[in-house]
Amino acid sequence: MSPTFSFESEFASLERSYAEIQRLLAAPLDAVQRVAPEISGWSVEQHIAHLSLANELVARNLRSLLKGAGPFVVDSGDPPAEALAILAAGVLPRGRAQAPRIVRPPEAVNREYLADWLAGNRKDFTELRQRAAELAACSKKVPHQILGPLTALEWVRFASTHTEHHLAIAREVLASKR
């Protein structure tokens, strides 16, 4: 794939997304905890909890790639054409995948835990952004459960695309009137 994205653009997107997350979470508690079933089965808080748990795994995968070893690191493999198209477009289709159990949000989100998860994500991505040149030099891959084996750049693209995907849904849930 000849990407139209870069580490810098994707990390910058993540930084903007995390600033927006703070704005969304500043809404009244009842609004961020409300589910709008016509849009999603999750509340704003749950979407944010999900993306923060997923991004924690992305950061772990990137660190494994930097080490060149880890339980999921593979030497080669290519994502299916559909996965490459999704990453190139930077838009995840809605309603086609179910979140793996490890990143499903809790029924009731603990705001203290959520704040810790988000702070950890921001710290991880700030540190990893500073290592973009090292990430670019990584030759191995880590498979995504649906998208297949991804390079470091593809993992960062996935994180920014996935984060924006859930923020878009969260914005809709927050704007909905019941």
Side-chain angles (χ1 to χ4, degrees), residues 39-40 47 94 164-174:
I39 298 166
S40 172
H47 278 281
R94 280 201 187 176
E164 179 50 42
H165 170 81
H166 283 282
L167 286 179
I169 299 169
R171 285 190 294 270
E172 286 181 38
V173 170
L174 193 57

Side-chain angles (χ1 to χ4, degrees), residues 1-137:
M1 165 163 80
S2 59
T4 57
F5 47 90
S6 67
F7 283 107
E8 185 51 38
S9 65
E10 300 313 310
F11 279 122
S13 172
L14 283 163
E15 189 174 306
R16 288 188 301 275
S17 291
Y18 278 85
E20 181 176 1
I21 287 167
Q22 295 310 311
R23 289 190 298 275
L24 289 175
L25 290 175
L29 197 56
D30 64 323
V32 297
Q33 292 178 339
R34 177 175 46 84
V35 172
E38 68 281 7
I39 298 166
S40 172
W42 289 349
S43 68
V44 170
E45 276 185 338
Q46 288 173 307
H47 278 281
I48 292 170
H50 165 70
L51 70 86
S52 68
L53 292 169
N55 284 344
E56 184 178 306
L57 293 178
V58 170
R60 248 188 251 166
N61 290 338
L62 292 170
R63 284 198 179 87
S64 291
L65 289 171
L66 284 167
K67 283 192 290 191
F72 305 110
V73 174
V74 296
D75 290 325
S76 62
D78 292 313
E82 182 180 299
L84 294 174
I86 287 169
L87 290 173
V91 178
L92 297 178
R94 280 201 187 176
R96 289 190 43 201
Q98 187 168 4
R101 188 181 64 189
I102 194 168
V103 294
R104 278 191 205 132
E107 194 70 30
V109 177
N110 179 309
R111 287 300 281 258
E112 219 174 292
Y113 292 162
L114 184 58
D116 286 347
W117 297 339
L118 293 168
N121 289 164
R122 287 185 104 163
K123 180 178 180 286
D124 287 342
F125 287 137
T126 297
E127 290 171 2
L128 289 162
R129 188 178 193 176
Q130 294 168 355
R131 299 183 72 183
E134 291 173 73
L135 286 167

